[in-house]
Amino acid sequence: MWDDAFPSFLIGLREGLEAGLIVSVLVATLVRAGARSRLPQVWTGVLAAIALSMSFGAVLTFTAASLSTAAQEAFGGALSLVAVAFVTAMVFWMRRSARGLAGEIKEKVTEALAMGAGVLVLTSFLAVGREGLETALFLWTTARAANESAGPMTGAGVGLVLAALLCWGLYRRVLRINLTRFFTVTGAVLVVIAAGVLGYGLRDLQEGAVLPGGTAYAFDLSGSVDAGSWYSTLLQGVLNLTPTITWLQVAGYAGYLAVVMTLFVRGVRDVPGAGETVATTPSRPDGAPAALPAAPASARPRWLLPVAVVAVPALLAGLVVALAHPKPAAGETVAVSGTDCGRGFTAPEPGRQDFLMHNTGNQTSEVYLIDPSSNAVYGEIEGLAPGTTRDLVATVAGGTYAWRCVPADGRAATSKAVRVGGAVGAHAVVPVSERDLAAPLKAYRAYVDRGLATLVTQTRKLSGDIRAGHLVTARTDWLTAHRTYASLGAAYGTFEDFDQKIDGRPDGLPGGVHDKAFTGFLRIEYGLWHEEPAAGLRGVAQQLAEDCAGLRKAFPHQHFDPSDLPLRAHEIVENTLQFELTGDTDQGSGTGLATADANLAGTRELLAVLRPLLTTRAPRLLPTVDADIARLQKLLDSAHHGTGWTPVDRLDRAAKARLDGATGQLLEDLSPVPDLLEVRKSA
């Protein structure tokens, strides 16, 4: 978040200071001229400029949200280029104009005073409005690049507040700033930032299919660069430099930086070094201009103009958003039943459509809008009861569409296909059937069966250690066996009540760690690392060995739902973040990271069996996940020292933050897997 705040902070500070200086000069000039009654006209213009800027930001945000994914990329890329042009022009203009700003503004104010209230309002509006529009555009572009708005908005807010304080200090003559030097230094930094925005915009245009070369990478360091490290995050947030960059991005970044920075530095050499503070004191020194008459009183209420200048831009922005983001077209009513699926369906117009699905049959049905050639699903409704009508909203683009109705008896019916003209752009998911998951499930069951066989041997050895009183050896064998069990995480939902007996926590038990119902690995861990005598642990260890043997015997006959496999890929990592990395399950051994390492091994095994299905549905997902796993594995390895592991509570703050960040990133990147591999009856 905070790395994304810096560019916006710099823009907020520069643009805020630029606009604030102009307002300071306007106010100071009016005060010196004895025309305080005209100050509301200045503030009205400022208010109008702020309202226009915020409305412009709303239009950018909500009109982009109504576009397709490809169109959003193209729209964002185009506006990134516009933002670069604005920032570049602003940097050069302020470098050239900083020293003469006061005189220029005073001249305009004098002219405005002579021409009436409307011109004074317009002068302040135009002076502030330009900076506001540039700020809104740059903030929108930065927030889009960061995929979040909190950091950019916070940075801009801090910059604007600081700019306001600086302007107040200049106005009150309590501080002085060399404006030429200030705008020169910040201008050079902004040129570098703008180069990154340009590179990001070019990438957006490539992803939106506007520019070629989207797969022509100049370099791809995603496998060797830690994308979540502080230095990588800082480079991405401030300079928009990512581990993977195309040749077009490199050319745009390097070309812009070489040309613009050269011109900027050359121009700086031609500007005298002395700076100037532009605001003047509000007191009237000798020789001040004669007071100007106050504006004539008007019968119009004083509040009318300020309200109007805020309401008009807001209403116009609302109108633009409403027209650019229309509600889904009032769709046709489509019949749903096992014998009459899709009656009333005609070729829709491209865009967001609202289909009214009415179940005319006598069974509850699932309904899918599909591409009949691939069975890819564009939209779906589950559990549509007989006689009821529900909306199905889907984005329609160029392609072939049909309805598939699947009643409760499983006898699917498919409507006649229709063809929609135009460019292909609607997103569809190729469905997965239980048959598709049969081979991965078989492979994973074999992996679990092998793991359980190993677990039985290891827990018997652990029980023998404790029975013989060899507690030091028992600690080592406990960790070995517990890691084996932890690596089977995707099967926990199949283990029925065995999991609670084998690896249950004491949470919620009346007696806590001393409750008789607290058994299994964690109970033995508590005893081994709290100096309990072997005699008190023999029964618990023997029971653990028997439970593991019982689980191995029962597992081949237990039901393993194929749909559990895609869900577990996400849940194993989620549990790791929630329990192991918080130390919540630690009963004294300090081996939470060893368990996390075993969980990661289980996740890797699960992804291996799902890889063929994921590769065809999301080819870009697995390389990202593989890089996440490699990064997390490296961090876990750094906490492994011989046979020991660094306890979670002894990690320094930076190491803990890196570990949490890497696990969280893996969790986020795995989140699409359940949706991609959801079992749908339309397959």
Side-chain angles (χ1 to χ4, degrees), residues 484-568:
T484 297
Y485 185 77
S487 68
L488 309 178
Y492 287 172
T494 307
F495 290 167
E496 298 175 351
D497 60 345
F498 281 104
D499 182 52
Q500 181 59 34
K501 295 177 182 177
I502 293 173
D503 204 36
R505 298 189 298 275
D507 305 351
L509 296 177
V513 294
H514 302 293
D515 198 287
K516 291 183 178 181
F518 182 34
T519 61
F521 277 114
L522 300 189
R523 174 64 184 90
I524 295 174
E525 177 190 5
Y526 181 85
L528 288 175
W529 274 271
H530 284 82
E531 307 302 332
E532 287 191 16
L537 296 175
R538 287 171 186 165
V540 181
Q542 179 62 31
Q543 185 62 49
L544 173 63
E546 292 176 1
D547 288 336
C548 290
L551 173 58
R552 187 197 175 193
K553 183 178 179 180
F555 179 70
H557 309 289
Q558 291 175 329
H559 175 66
F560 201 139
D561 190 340
S563 63
D564 280 353
L565 285 180
L567 289 173
R568 296 291 181 250

Side-chain angles (χ1 to χ4, degrees), residues 139-231:
L139 280 181
W140 185 87
T141 304
T142 305
R144 176 178 168 78
N147 285 320
E148 58 100 9
S149 58
M153 294 301 294
T154 301
V158 173
L160 289 171
V161 170
L162 181 57
L165 293 175
L166 290 175
C167 288
W168 179 86
L170 292 171
Y171 177 78
R172 302 299 299 179
R173 290 280 179 94
V174 296
L175 61 86
R176 296 183 63 85
I177 295 177
N178 187 317
L179 295 177
T180 301
R181 184 173 302 165
F182 172 83
F183 284 115
T184 298
V185 172
T186 57
V189 176
L190 275 179
V191 168
V192 178
I193 292 175
V197 174
L198 175 62
Y200 173 80
L202 292 175
R203 181 59 180 164
D204 264 359
L205 292 174
Q206 288 179 316
E207 293 181 349
V210 176
L211 294 176
T215 58
Y217 297 113
F219 53 83
D220 184 354
L221 304 178
S222 56
S224 57
V225 173
D226 185 356
S229 63
W230 68 268
Y231 57 85

